[in-house]
Amino acid sequence: MENSQTLIVSDLEQQTARIRGFVLRHPQGKDLPAFDAGAHLDISVPLASGEVVQRSYSIASSPAHRDYYLLGVLREDSGRGGSAAMHAGVAVGQLLTCSQPKNQFGISPSAKHHLLIAGGIGITPLLSMLHVLVSEGKSFKLCYCARSTEDAAFLSEISDLAGDRLTLYFDGGDVTRGIDLGAELRDAQDGSEVYVCGPRGLNEAVIAAAARAGWSPERVHFEFFGAAAPAKGDQPFRVILKQSGMTVEVARDESILDAVIRHDIEPLYDCKRGECGLCATAVIEGDVDHRDYVLTAADKSERKQMCICVSRAKQGDLVLDL
Ligand code: FES
């Protein structure tokens, strides 16, 4: 990991049965690098097998506090092992290799009102934003969606901070009993911008509801968790790399980005979720199934570019300018 920092785990806070807070500090008690609300850290997580994997976790604490970062980690029992290892293997006193704070999900300076929508563990970056909005006296509303009170991490801190600007949605696992996005967006004040972080379904529902309600994309901010998962029906395909003169097989459960890295090609990338646009690559030929959230409709329809961390071939080979 480039430009990494070593931090020590100074405290663990069990928030819910599956969500644990990790308090990270400088090992010698120095101030930590500054960050803006909404930022995350990449962490090298040692698995029980000895393999070390990289995972990203949002910072939930206030940027005003430079002496620690608070992360919230949901244990995903059917995940790829990173969060389970954080829960089972990371103890107080342990040193962790972390990136500098990174942020693709900051508070918009132009918004007159901020509508925050959190789903489950997606509360973590929004809690950091909440600290800032409260301390700066900004206009906001927070909608916090979870299965139940017991599943809602950081709830008392959030209630204290947000007061009557907090609306809780406990759906018991039945999304039809959850948040009415159409109503929340319709009732939002003029000049509002919306921020959503939660399960993929919630993020996509907010993006779609905002588009239906006529909100311009610049007013809709979102962050997805984890690398993009394969979709049902995904098939292997080939990419022909014009500059490198190579043909690379992309497996059913692999991204083009990972496939080309496997062949020692190092394109630019960051989020691996189709959000930052850094991996956008020129398409010379082929039928692209676009799955990113950054390229414009014009970019996609003219087939000029694709985000190789998430998008795939619809059919046949792709020829890329790589
Ligand atoms: S790496 Fe961020 S969009 Fe691909």
Side-chain angles (χ1 to χ4, degrees):
M1 195 186 293
E2 261 179 46
N3 202 14
S4 63
Q5 53 177 334
T6 301
L7 303 179
I8 189 164
V9 179
S10 71
D11 235 324
L12 299 173
E13 303 171 353
Q14 198 65 39
Q15 288 287 332
T16 73
R18 291 174 57 216
I19 297 176
R20 185 173 295 168
F22 291 77
V23 180
L24 307 184
R25 296 178 190 270
H26 189 282
Q28 281 83 46
K30 295 181 185 163
D31 271 358
L32 298 174
F35 69 96
D36 290 325
H40 67 271
L41 297 179
D42 296 335
I43 298 190
S44 297
V45 183
L47 303 184
S49 64
E51 188 191 351
V52 176
V53 295
Q54 197 165 297
R55 295 290 183 267
S56 302
Y57 297 110
S58 295
I59 303 175
S61 45
S62 164
H65 294 144
R66 296 280 303 279
D67 52 337
Y68 71 96
Y69 300 140
L70 170 63
L71 310 180
V73 179
L74 170 70
R75 192 189 71 237
E76 301 203 60
D77 296 322
S78 55
R80 294 170 297 153
S83 65
M86 284 290 287
H87 276 246
V90 174
V92 169
Q94 186 159 338
L95 296 173
L96 291 174
T97 304
C98 307
S99 68
Q100 301 295 311
K102 302 177 178 182
N103 200 345
Q104 289 135 4
F105 189 48
I107 296 174
S108 165
S110 56
K112 294 198 172 64
H113 177 82
H114 306 264
L115 174 60
L116 313 180
I117 301 177
I121 189 62
I123 191 64
T124 47
L126 298 183
L127 173 51
S128 186
M129 290 184 182
L130 182 61
H131 281 288
V132 173
L133 296 172
V134 170
S135 70
E136 294 184 355
K138 296 276 170 62
S139 172
F140 73 87
K141 176 177 181 181
L142 169 61
C143 300
Y144 186 7
C145 313
R147 287 175 78 96
S148 66
T149 320
E150 292 72 35
D151 294 299
F154 308 110
L155 189 52
S156 66
E157 182 181 359
I158 289 165
S159 302
D160 289 348
L161 278 167
D164 61 4
R165 291 175 285 180
L166 169 65
T167 302
L168 295 166
Y169 291 92
F170 296 132
D171 65 9
D174 175 2
V175 289
T176 62
R177 290 170 44 204
I179 183 170
D180 182 344
L181 292 173
E184 290 292 353
L185 292 168
R186 195 173 50 243
D187 296 344
Q189 302 173 15
D190 285 350
S192 291
E193 300 194 20
V194 62
Y195 308 75
V196 58
C197 187
R200 182 162 293 268
L202 176 67
N203 285 19
E204 289 179 342
V206 170
I207 293 166
R212 276 198 304 276
W215 289 45
S216 62
E218 306 78 56
R219 295 171 58 203
V220 183
H221 311 276
F222 49 84
E223 182 152 88
F224 287 83
F225 283 130
K232 206 170 160 203
D234 278 352
Q235 296 298 326
F237 59 95
R238 295 190 313 173
V239 283
I240 296 154
L241 310 178
K242 206 70 181 180
Q243 287 182 37
S244 327
M246 293 172 71
T247 298
V248 169
E249 305 279 341
V250 182
R252 188 199 71 79
D253 57 353
E254 183 181 41
S255 67
I256 298 175
L257 177 64
D258 287 338
V260 300
I261 290 173
R262 194 160 47 72
H263 285 76
D264 297 326
I265 292 167
E266 293 269 325
L268 282 179
Y269 70 93
D270 185 19
C271 71
K272 285 190 155 187
R273 293 188 298 263
E275 294 168 37
C276 72
L278 257 188
C279 69
T281 300
V283 180
I284 296 168
E285 222 178 290
D287 204 358
V288 178
D289 177 5
H290 289 283
R291 298 182 182 179
D292 66 277
Y293 301 92
V294 279
L295 296 181
T296 63
D299 286 332
K300 292 176 184 176
S301 66
E302 291 166 23
R303 294 194 211 159
K304 282 195 293 213
Q305 292 194 82
M306 71 183 293
C307 288
I308 58 173
C309 64
V310 288
S311 299
R312 303 179 65 81
K314 214 175 253 174
Q315 55 186 4
D317 297 343
L318 291 177
V319 184
L320 302 181
D321 191 15
L322 258 183

